[in-house]
Amino acid sequence: MREFIVEADGGSRGNPGPAGYGAVVSDAATGETLREAAEYIGVATNNVAEYRGLLAGLRAAHELDPGAAVHVRMDSKLVVEQMSGRWKIKHPDMKPLAADAARVFPPGRVTYEWIPRERNKHADRLANEAMDAGARGEQWSASTSTAELDTRAGAGAVAPSGPPGDAAAGAARVREALAGRAASAGAGAGAGSARADADARAAEAVAGPGGAPAEAGRDAGSATADDDVRAAGADVEARAAGVDTDVRAARADADARAAEAVAGPGGAPAEAGRDAGSATADDDVRAAGADVEARAAGVDTDVRAARADADARAAEAVAGSDGAPAEAGADAGSAKTDDDVRAGRAGADVRAPEADADHRAAEADADARTDTDTAMATAKADADARAAKAVATPGWAPADMGAPATFVLLRHGETPLTPQKRFSGSGGTDPSLSDIGRDQAGRAAALLARRGTIQAIVSSPLARTRETAGIIAARLGLDVSVDDGLRETDFGAWEGLTFAEVRERHPDDLTAWLASPDAEPTGGGESFAATATRIAATRDKLIAAYAGRTVLLVTHVTPIKTLVRLALGAPPESLFRMELSAASLSVVAYYADGNASLRLLNDTSHLR
């Protein structure tokens, strides 16, 4: 299902007075602006103009794709709360407008989020253009509008609008954060103001329901990336600059980037809404980070010192977070992760103030580390060799290993909670599939029947997975086995809540949960660390039971992402870097020598 972001605004110069509205429709996946709308509406109140903007945005989205899902973002608390059903609509002028807006898309296909006015500048600019045109006795014209260009110029960078976890939007937000931090450091801003700014952006990024849970696996399962790398980066900065203030500023910047990365499961959770989240944000973030930070620092000596230290950490990371590979594929995941991160982290280390004394200290530190270059080169060569082995395709594998145990991982189809972005784990109401979800399961069954490779089906015990598995089993003529180890994470007291509702009711628990895989949801839910232990045991049992065979596992967001993470040897934070859509297919193969190979991730081609 295609997803749109609608941002809308309205204004009145007098309230009531000359009024106009603006609305912009963008692609949730790419941030691309697809449609703009604006109109001068004569004398009206602010709230009426805002409702008119909402209606125009929804209608524009409907014209683009009547079957799409829409996430509305507005800076009008009134409109957001009323359209979400939490506040009553009393004003006679707004009731018909709200009713018209509610009829554009079917119930459940539109979600609403309040955002600060500074994040709604594109729509605000369109509304002002419409009012300016009305003052001239004209109507607004798209051909003469400069709203998008003005908004981008004011932001200093292209900032696509998207839910938490969206790759393009997340990358743009990080570029903005890095640019702002570099300017602040150059101006001598203190660590206290840096941390305040980081905390503000963190709270803002976590808030967005677009990245809010969608059946919560933190797809919900997807967010505080690169904690270990940031800690190492902070350590490098401390040695390079020798100034605690610099370390605090760098860590504040890291906190801001981590929180903004949440935004992005399909956001936040999925089976909670980051399904909501996008997976490729890191590439854009690293490119932007390296570029911005290099310009901010401009000191080659510091860069070389930071990179040398990062290389040392990369070699050490090959062994795994505990000092030994968690799986045969862990080396590849660790080496690949650090290789990808170095450019961005090197730039991050360079953000320390550029006083001459600091430069001399960094140069001295770099000279001291020169003696370790040979050892690091040897370690890196060994890491590269192991990485190549771990990601080897079956064609590269030794002839005597035999066929792998292949897990075809299918996330269940949509439930009524999926489009509402609510946490839905193993401790809630256990919803069944919606009509859309049953159709998705049927499409997956047709694809698997054409391929003809599935030899067995194993399902989670929850209703939505058993129903999905049953539809496929009927098509393939197979029986369904149930394994309790494939169940979704238990989200405790958060079950049935949106990400925003959890943030309002349990802010401290949510913050801890986002920061550590060992943290449990409120009310005795299951931590991601506990989930990983359960999933690893289930994986090992199923590999033994289905050695050399291809088995379909019908399960949930967190179990699938955990299997992928373990296969790659990736850190727990990687859960927040993957997108996993309803009824999507992923594939992992497990070889006799203990290696694993990720062959497919989040394939939804059968749903289009």
Side-chain angles (χ1 to χ4, degrees):
M1 179 186 295
R2 197 172 181 187
E3 296 184 4
F4 295 136
I5 302 294
V6 169
E7 294 176 334
D9 199 9
S12 172
R13 294 170 178 171
N15 199 31
Y21 67 75
V24 56
V25 182
S26 59
D27 189 297
T30 66
E32 177 188 3
T33 297
L34 304 176
R35 188 74 61 85
E36 291 178 316
E39 184 183 2
Y40 173 69
I41 59 174
V43 175
T45 65
N46 278 326
N47 293 144
V48 167
E50 289 165 344
Y51 263 107
R52 289 286 299 274
L54 167 65
L55 186 56
L58 291 173
R59 286 173 173 168
H62 190 272
E63 289 174 3
L64 289 168
D65 187 347
V70 178
H71 183 63
V72 176
R73 305 168 63 172
M74 299 181 67
D75 59 52
S76 170
K77 187 73 170 177
L78 177 77
V79 175
V80 168
E81 293 299 317
Q82 288 180 339
M83 291 303 299
S84 298
R86 293 185 287 269
W87 292 0
K88 291 183 178 180
I89 305 172
K90 300 179 180 179
H91 197 287
D93 291 340
M94 291 188 282
K95 284 184 177 180
L97 293 172
D100 288 344
R103 285 192 292 265
V104 177
F105 283 93
R109 283 249 227 99
V110 181
T111 55
Y112 291 86
E113 173 191 5
W114 176 86
I115 58 175
R117 182 169 182 176
E118 57 269 20
R119 291 176 56 194
N120 200 29
K121 290 182 178 179
H122 192 163
D124 177 78
R125 181 61 184 148
L126 287 170
N128 277 284
E129 284 186 350
M131 287 185 280
D132 291 343
R136 297 191 302 267
E138 304 169 358
Q139 277 295 343
W140 177 84
S141 170
S143 62
T144 60
S145 174
T146 62
E148 183 172 16
L149 292 175
D150 292 345
T151 303
R152 291 182 177 183
V158 177
S161 178
D166 173 61
R173 283 195 295 272
V174 172
R175 291 189 192 99
E176 180 181 359
L178 292 176
R181 188 71 58 204
S184 176
S193 63
R195 180 164 293 281
D197 183 47
D199 290 344
R201 279 202 302 273
E204 185 176 278
V206 170
E215 292 207 78
R218 184 102 170 143
D219 238 31
S222 300
T224 59
D226 296 341
D227 288 338
D228 292 341
V229 176
R230 285 196 301 272
D235 185 50
V236 172
E237 290 170 0
R239 289 197 302 275
V243 182
D244 286 344
T245 300
D246 301 336
V247 176
R248 288 195 298 272
R251 284 179 174 160
D253 184 30
D255 292 342
R257 288 199 307 279
E260 296 188 32
V262 172
E271 287 205 322
R274 286 220 5 217
D275 253 42
S278 253
T280 59
D282 275 354
D283 291 339
D284 290 342
V285 170
R286 285 192 295 272
D291 178 55
V292 172
E293 293 156 355
R295 289 198 303 272
V299 182
D300 289 342
T301 301
D302 291 345
V303 173
R304 286 195 297 272
R307 284 183 176 155
D309 193 50
D311 288 343
R313 289 198 307 280
E316 292 171 337
V318 171
S321 58
D322 334 349
E327 301 188 18
D331 293 337
S334 298
K336 176 71 170 69
T337 299
D338 278 346
D339 286 341
D340 287 346
V341 172
R342 278 189 206 109
R345 290 302 152 259
D349 295 340
V350 176
R351 276 195 306 279
E354 287 137 308
D356 289 341
D358 293 341
H359 296 172
R360 287 194 296 275
E363 289 168 354
D365 191 33
D367 291 339
R369 283 195 299 271
T370 300
D371 293 338
T372 66
D373 285 349
T374 302
M376 286 189 293
T378 301
K380 280 174 57 60
D382 185 49
D384 291 342
R386 281 181 296 185
K389 178 182 177 183
V391 299
T393 66
W396 297 349
D400 61 353
M401 279 207 306
T406 302
F407 290 177
V408 178
L409 309 171
L410 175 66
R411 182 190 170 194
H412 60 79
E414 280 192 16
T415 75
L417 297 183
T418 306
Q420 298 177 24
K421 312 280 188 198
R422 295 185 180 277
F423 281 92
S424 183
S426 58
T429 58
D430 194 17
S432 299
L433 298 180
S434 64
D435 289 341
I436 291 175
R438 282 185 280 273
D439 177 70
Q440 291 171 334
R443 291 172 182 265
L447 172 67
L448 295 172
R450 288 195 300 271
R451 291 182 177 174
T453 57
I454 301 300
Q455 298 170 285
I457 301 175
V458 183
S459 172
S460 152
L462 299 182
R464 52 193 180 273
T465 46
R466 297 184 68 169
E467 187 175 358
T468 300
I471 292 172
I472 294 170
R475 180 68 180 266
L476 301 185
L478 297 171
D479 294 329
V480 178
S481 299
V482 175
D483 194 309
D484 187 63
L486 295 175
R487 71 185 184 275
E488 180 56 286
T489 299
D490 183 347
F491 293 106
W494 301 353
E495 295 278 358
L497 301 180
T498 65
F499 195 78
E501 288 169 343
V502 172
R503 189 189 66 250
E504 292 172 0
R505 301 180 192 184
H506 310 287
D508 293 339
D509 289 348
L510 180 62
T511 298
W513 183 73
L514 293 173
S516 171
D518 296 314
E520 297 177 350
T522 307
E526 187 179 21
S527 71
F528 282 143
T531 300
T533 300
R534 166 168 56 86
I535 294 300
T538 302
R539 173 204 60 196
D540 294 345
K541 178 178 65 176
L542 294 176
I543 289 174
Y546 296 98
R549 304 172 68 192
T550 299
V551 56
L552 177 69
L553 305 186
V554 186
T555 179
H556 311 265
V557 166
T558 312
I560 293 175
K561 287 189 172 186
T562 300
L563 287 167
V564 170
R565 178 181 79 76
L566 294 174
L568 296 176
E573 306 89 78
S574 62
L575 291 176
F576 309 134
R577 300 293 188 181
M578 295 181 246
E579 178 178 354
L580 207 66
S581 304
S584 64
L585 286 164
S586 303
V587 179
V588 179
Y590 299 90
Y591 294 93
D593 66 351
N595 276 325
S597 175
L598 175 63
R599 295 183 175 180
L600 187 69
L601 180 65
N602 195 39
D603 178 21
T604 58
S605 59
H606 53 288
L607 303 179
R608 297 194 284 271

